[in-house]
Each structure stands twice: as C-alpha cells, then as structure tokens.
Amino acid sequence: MNRGHVVLIHGAWAGSWVWDTLLEPLRDTGYEPHPLTLPGVGSWPDGARTDLDDVTDVAVAHIDSLDGPVFVVGHSGGGIVATQVAERLPHRIAGVAYVAGMMLPSGINFGDLCADLRLPEPVGISAWLESIPDGSGTIVPPEAAAAVFFHEASAGDAITAARKLLPQLETARLMAPTWTPERFGSVPRLYVEATLDRSVPLVTQRAMQDRVPGARVVTLDSDHAPQLSARGALVTALVDFCASVVARPVSAQEI
C-alpha cells in the first residue's frame, strides 16, 4: 500500500543520484520516492538564466501528476526549492523536510544569512569553487567535495559521490525564496540538522531554525550528506515525520 509520495530535491552541483541510498528503504516502508533532476545543473544553453521559478516549475509539474499525500524533502540548496514548492502548493503538500537544508527566511539567500551572522568568509565550499569558462556557473573540485561534503562517509563512497558532481548555473544556485506565513508557513516541517556539516555549518542551520520557527528538529552527527554517512538514521527521521503528519483538507483559500 502506498502511504504517500516523497519528492526528493537535490542541491547545487548534484543530481537525483544523491538520493539513491534512500530509495529502497523508503519503498520498504510504504512510501514512493520521486528523486527529481532539476534544471541548471550539468549543462545549459548559452545565456541561460534559470531561476527559482523555473526550478520550482519542474517540481510543481511532477507533483501535479501524483495522487495522494505528497511530502517534499530538500537537501542543501534544494531546501530553497522545497520552500517555494510549499508556498505554491500548500494544499498539496503534507509536509516539508530539510536535510542540512536551506530553510531560509523570505527574501533572504544563504549569502545574506551568512553576512548577517558575520561569519568569516568564505563559508563552506565557497573557497574551493571554480568558475566554468564562460563565468555562468561553478564546479566543485572532487578533492574539495570529498573533504567538505562527504568527509564522514567511507572513502570509496566519498570519492564516488565527489566525482559525480557537475557544473551548476549560478542563477539556479544563488536563490532566495519568497513565502508567506499563510501558505508555506502553514505546512508541517522537519529540519534534519547535521552537526558535522562543513558546507552549511551548524551555526547557520540553527540560525535558520530560529528565523523560520515551527519545524520539529532531528539531530544527526553527520556531514553534509547523511544519505551516505547516516542513512539509517535519516530514513528513520523522514519516515517518522511522514507517518506523524496527516494530510490536511483543502481550504477554499488554498485553491
């Protein structure tokens, strides 16, 4: 029996493969996973300016094709997209979960948050980013990815994941959500914080929890990718959250 759909949204430089370790466990617990591939990563036409609306459109179109409860999970920068999806479709989203994700205040991007916290620059992976030749995007060197994103995974998993990262269009990375308390703010939320994260440092994760209050919180001693370094605990956190959330009736205001 299908207990619901779990739409999985990857972050910058990544792809649907970041969720591969969760697909079978989610199916085993009765949830149907949907790992999306978003535009703005890998390759793009010259002059492309894929933005948050474009990326959100992809997720919204997929959700519109589904029946039954839908949960949205955003990893890292995918959290921005998850927020925007919930703002667009609060009547269709049973819950939103952030995995070391960017659960940002409305109108604020991650750089703004770091500046407001007066964190020493650069933060996270920023120091190692390399621009692609035309300057429209960036790439993460594999050595830096293994050290910053995947350092708690096995060496083999870290190297494999690091080598899968692709160029990311800057307009599809440096994004700020726009949301309202009445729509996004009405959707149940989970924040899975990663205490050993070197990419989205714990201080920023907890600042987002303070500035966008209302999420229940699960703490994992993991790096930026608990899909590799803490898979069992992550699956448990997500399944427990989904199981605890009852799909809400649609109100006239949300249609």
Side-chain angles (χ1 to χ4, degrees):
M1 179 179 178
N2 184 1
R3 300 173 68 184
H5 302 280
V6 182
V7 174
L8 301 162
I9 301 177
H10 64 80
W13 308 288
S16 60
W17 58 266
V18 300
W19 302 108
D20 284 352
T21 60
L22 271 62
L23 302 185
E24 184 176 354
L26 286 172
R27 291 191 183 104
D28 287 346
T29 55
Y31 294 94
E32 184 58 36
H34 300 260
L36 303 185
T37 299
L38 302 179
V41 63
S43 62
W44 48 83
D46 290 344
R49 289 193 56 82
T50 300
D51 60 17
L52 180 55
D53 284 340
D54 299 321
V55 178
T56 304
D57 287 345
V58 172
V60 167
H62 189 85
I63 291 167
D64 282 342
S65 72
L66 304 176
D67 293 321
V70 176
F71 301 88
V72 178
V73 183
H75 176 233
S76 188
I80 301 169
V81 184
T83 295
Q84 208 63 47
V85 169
E87 176 68 15
R88 285 245 210 122
L89 300 174
H91 57 290
R92 287 288 290 119
I93 308 304
V96 179
Y98 298 81
V99 179
M102 295 183 185
M103 187 176 68
L104 292 162
S106 184
I108 301 296
N109 66 36
F110 187 65
D112 296 331
L113 177 75
C114 293
D116 192 46
L117 294 173
R118 299 182 179 180
L119 298 181
E121 294 184 356
V123 176
I125 197 65
S126 300
W128 290 274
L129 294 180
E130 298 177 356
S131 292
I132 64 173
D134 68 1
S136 64
T138 55
I139 187 66
V140 183
E143 299 84 357
V148 177
F149 294 154
F150 310 119
H151 52 91
E152 294 299 308
S154 69
D157 285 346
I159 292 168
T160 298
R163 288 175 174 170
K164 289 182 178 180
L165 297 179
L166 296 171
Q168 176 76 35
L169 185 65
E170 289 292 87
T171 58
R173 179 175 77 91
L174 304 175
M175 306 182 296
T178 302
W179 56 266
T180 60
E182 296 77 18
R183 295 179 71 83
F184 162 74
S186 70
V187 179
R189 284 176 284 123
L190 169 71
Y191 196 95
V192 181
E193 61 177 26
T195 62
L196 305 177
D197 196 335
R198 297 174 181 169
S199 178
V200 180
L202 186 60
V203 63
T204 63
Q205 296 178 52
R206 291 188 172 169
M208 290 185 284
Q209 293 168 37
D210 289 340
R211 297 178 187 204
V212 189
R216 65 184 75 180
V217 178
V218 171
T219 302
L220 301 183
D221 291 327
S222 78
D223 56 19
H224 188 57
Q227 301 97 314
L228 295 179
S229 59
R231 180 185 71 164
L234 176 57
V235 170
T236 297
L238 294 176
V239 169
D240 286 352
F241 172 65
C242 293
S244 70
V245 174
V246 177
R248 298 163 301 126
V250 180
S251 67
Q253 291 80 14
E254 291 179 316
I255 297 175

